[in-house]
Amino acid sequence: MLTYLTAGESHGKGIAALVDGFPAGVKLDEEFIASELRRRQSGYGRGGRQAIETDAAEILTGVLHGCSMGSPILLWVKNRDYKLESMPELTRPRPGHADLTGSLKYGTGIRAILERSSARETAGRVAAGALAQLLLRELGIEVVGYVERVGSVDLTPNATTLELSPSKQRELRNASDLFSLRADADEAGKSAIDVAKASGDTLGGVVVTRVYNAPFGLGTHAQWSRKLDGKLAQAVAAIQAFKGVEIGSGFELASTPGSASHDEILWDESQRVSRSLGFVRPTNRAGGLEGGMTNSKPIVVRAAMKPIPTLRKPLRSIDLDTKESVEASFERSDACAISAASVVMENVVAFEIAAAVVEKFGGDSLDEIKARIALFEENAARRLGAIEY
């Protein structure tokens, strides 16, 4: 099993990610991991913390001569802004945060809760996900995340853009201050963020992650807890401030008749020897997943992020000591972190896909995984009557 845990606090010594079950033989490109961490810190609307921290992940274990060893990998992202022991305690919980519920649940002050529940923790998830992307790329599987909406500003890319290669999509995305695929609409999105910031408010949005070239059969129908769409939904919904997740056309299908909701199955002889095994679909409303399993179409996960609840113009709250009505506490925050959220989502999705690959094809070494994928596709082609593979 490929799994990971994170540890660390927002103003502690750093954020750690412990990855277990990562196969041997993968070149660990530290610059790529660092580039994903830098992307998490950037994007229009970010706050002052990003000017203090310059994230990079040190690989402390599990690497030999630049390659994974098959043993646990410990990634360490050091905090330059380490001052946890000197941070003041708070008595005014912020609506929309873990402050009140966490302090009641654990019997601690608010500081102990907000330090761990902070989105700073996602540095560990991005580091682990970037590691997973290195494995996926060795297998020809590409992951692209981008922003589709900022507040009420629609940044949905057109069909032509989505037909571009993953590398071209990344080029477009990386050239955008909002990490969108709609350069023509970026200024409207940035203006909306500026208006919110000027009024002491915040904005959320919608982000999308697409996974290309995943083979048939990741996940399973056999047990609810192992369905890949369920695992993806859980991983994405667990990102700070995320409140809605859909696969493919998702909620739109609730008001669409069945005849227009599913993806017809066609045959293309020229694609018999490919990841699709010859089965093609004119649509992808299922988002690449049917019955909890991948069907070789692009996996499409879409999620909604609420506006950050830490406001310069605070909402009403209660002082836990006096029980008087007060304004909520304010901790340094962003006007809009939707661009960063797209990076986090891309990487948590990547990790779940990599974990599904390891579960399906074994995870001792990269060579073993490659051989088993080839054997699976060869056997499938043979069963379908392919003359040769």
Side-chain angles (χ1 to χ4, degrees):
M1 262 199 329
L2 177 58
T3 61
Y4 74 107
L5 295 170
T6 67
E9 293 76 38
S10 181
H11 294 95
K13 294 182 179 180
I15 303 294
L18 178 62
V19 179
D20 191 30
F22 195 82
V26 179
K27 182 173 175 55
L28 300 185
D29 183 348
E30 293 188 59
E31 174 51 35
F32 173 72
I33 298 172
S35 71
E36 288 299 281
L37 288 168
R38 287 194 297 269
R39 285 207 308 122
R40 192 199 71 90
Q41 291 187 282
S42 57
Y44 201 80
R46 300 307 304 277
R49 179 74 184 266
Q50 313 317 315
I52 298 172
E53 303 291 357
T54 304
D55 287 345
E58 185 179 1
I59 303 176
L60 299 179
T61 66
V63 59
L64 179 64
H65 304 312
C67 290
S68 57
M69 302 163 57
S71 53
I73 296 173
L74 181 59
L75 300 156
W76 175 248
V77 182
K78 184 178 180 179
N79 284 343
R80 293 176 61 191
D81 196 24
Y82 168 45
K83 54 184 180 182
L84 179 58
E85 298 296 335
S86 64
M87 295 292 283
E89 186 50 86
L90 303 174
T91 61
R92 297 175 292 162
R94 297 162 298 171
H97 271 284
D99 298 356
L100 177 60
T101 301
S103 63
L104 293 173
K105 173 181 171 63
Y106 289 98
T108 66
I110 291 173
R111 174 63 59 188
I113 303 305
L114 72 84
E115 286 290 331
R116 177 59 184 163
S117 64
S118 165
R120 176 72 185 151
E121 178 270 344
T122 62
R125 282 190 263 182
V126 168
L131 191 72
Q133 289 207 53
L134 295 175
L135 169 60
L136 294 177
R137 289 185 179 185
E138 291 279 4
L139 305 174
I141 301 171
E142 300 278 357
V143 187
V144 181
Y146 57 90
V147 174
E148 190 176 75
R149 178 176 292 274
V150 174
S152 62
V153 178
D154 186 8
L155 300 170
T156 303
N158 60 41
T160 302
T161 299
L162 295 179
E163 290 173 357
L164 296 173
S165 68
S167 61
K168 290 293 185 183
Q169 290 184 32
R170 279 193 288 269
E171 286 180 18
L172 288 175
R173 189 260 328 268
N174 293 346
S176 164
D177 289 337
L178 294 175
F179 298 170
S180 83
L181 299 180
R182 281 284 306 279
D184 61 306
D186 273 0
E187 287 304 316
K190 290 161 67 174
S191 294
I193 294 171
D194 290 341
V195 169
K197 184 176 182 179
S199 64
D201 217 331
T202 58
L203 287 181
V206 175
V207 291
V208 177
T209 296
R210 302 174 70 89
V211 182
Y212 294 93
N213 209 34
F216 267 101
L218 303 182
T220 181
H221 70 291
Q223 188 58 260
W224 68 268
S225 59
R226 293 165 56 207
K227 291 189 173 189
L228 184 53
D229 43 9
K231 289 187 174 184
L232 288 168
Q234 195 277 333
V236 172
I239 300 170
Q240 287 85 335
F242 276 46
K243 283 297 187 180
V245 183
E246 68 176 12
I247 309 293
S249 296
F251 291 102
E252 180 185 340
L253 298 179
S255 56
T256 305
S259 58
S261 294
H262 305 289
D263 306 308
E264 293 183 309
I265 304 170
L266 306 178
W267 180 257
D268 183 347
E269 182 68 26
S270 69
Q271 295 190 45
R272 184 194 286 259
V273 183
S274 72
R275 282 278 159 93
S276 75
L277 302 177
F279 298 102
V280 296
R281 319 268 185 134
T283 58
N284 188 27
R285 300 178 181 112
L289 289 153
E290 291 175 308
M293 299 170 285
T294 53
N295 65 9
S296 85
K297 292 288 287 183
I299 298 164
V300 183
V301 187
R302 181 175 287 100
M305 179 191 187
K306 69 180 181 181
I308 293 171
T310 299
L311 301 171
R312 285 194 298 109
K313 190 169 64 177
L315 299 173
R316 291 182 298 171
S317 184
I318 295 293
D319 187 293
L320 297 182
D321 289 342
T322 67
K323 309 304 183 292
E324 294 178 348
S325 181
V326 293
E327 289 186 339
S329 299
F330 175 76
E331 292 271 311
R332 183 173 48 205
S333 186
D334 306 319
C336 181
I338 193 64
S339 300
S342 72
V343 181
V344 179
M345 179 172 159
E346 174 180 324
N347 282 287
V348 302
V349 167
F351 197 94
E352 293 305 317
I353 299 302
V357 167
V358 168
E359 180 181 25
K360 165 67 176 167
F361 297 108
D364 288 343
S365 71
L366 175 61
D367 287 345
E368 183 179 41
I369 293 174
K370 287 181 175 179
R372 288 185 173 179
I373 291 175
L375 179 61
F376 166 76
E377 293 179 340
E378 181 181 350
N379 286 339
R382 187 176 294 113
R383 287 194 301 272
L384 292 169
I387 297 173
E388 62 179 75
Y389 188 83

